[in-house]
């Protein structure tokens, strides 16, 4: 049902390799989070309050965005770092 081993056509030939698509999606999500942090830092708004607000928004949406787990992991890691630094 989940097609975790890839998608196949009617003849049984593999069309898409899901494992590499998952890795690419996770990597892209991580890079998007890093770009978000750079943008906040450049604007001087990279604080634990802003990151905490973003975490809250993601956790309380009705439909989670794609790769929300990766996004939340990276955001929470940065949130802890900022709290430890007193920001």
């Amino acid at each position: 049902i989940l097609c975790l081993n890839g998608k196949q056509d009617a003849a049984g030939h593999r069309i898409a390799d899901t494992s590499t698509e998952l890795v690419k999606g996770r990597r892209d999500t991580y890079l998007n989070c890093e770009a978000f942090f750079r943008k906040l830092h450049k604007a001087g708004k990279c604080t634990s309050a802003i990151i905490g607000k973003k975490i809250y928004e993601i956790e309380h949406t009705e439909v989670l965005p794609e790769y929300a787990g990766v996004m939340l992991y990276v955001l929470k890691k940065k949130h802890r770092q900022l709290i430890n630094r007193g920001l």
Side-chain angles (χ1 to χ4, degrees), residues 8-38:
Q8 297 180 350
D9 62 5
H13 297 101
R14 183 174 283 176
I15 297 172
D17 183 12
T18 308
S19 63
T20 55
E21 289 177 16
L22 287 173
V23 172
K24 182 186 179 315
R26 291 175 184 149
R27 184 182 309 119
D28 290 346
T29 302
Y30 179 83
L31 292 174
N32 287 339
C33 287
E34 291 295 322
F36 174 68
F37 297 147
R38 282 192 301 275

Side-chain angles (χ1 to χ4, degrees), residues 36-37 40 47-55 75 79 82:
F36 174 68
F37 297 147
L40 286 177
T47 63
S48 61
I50 299 291
I51 303 295
K53 182 179 176 187
K54 185 72 171 173
I55 292 169
L75 289 170
H79 187 252
L82 290 171

Side-chain angles (χ1 to χ4, degrees), residues 45-80:
K45 297 180 180 180
C46 192
T47 63
S48 61
I50 299 291
I51 303 295
K53 182 179 176 187
K54 185 72 171 173
I55 292 169
Y56 180 84
E57 289 173 1
I58 293 170
E59 288 179 338
H60 291 87
T61 57
E62 203 168 300
V63 178
L64 292 174
E66 193 172 25
Y67 300 103
V70 175
M71 198 179 312
L72 287 171
Y73 171 79
V74 175
L75 289 170
K76 287 180 180 182
K77 181 178 174 184
K78 183 68 169 183
H79 187 252
R80 282 190 305 271

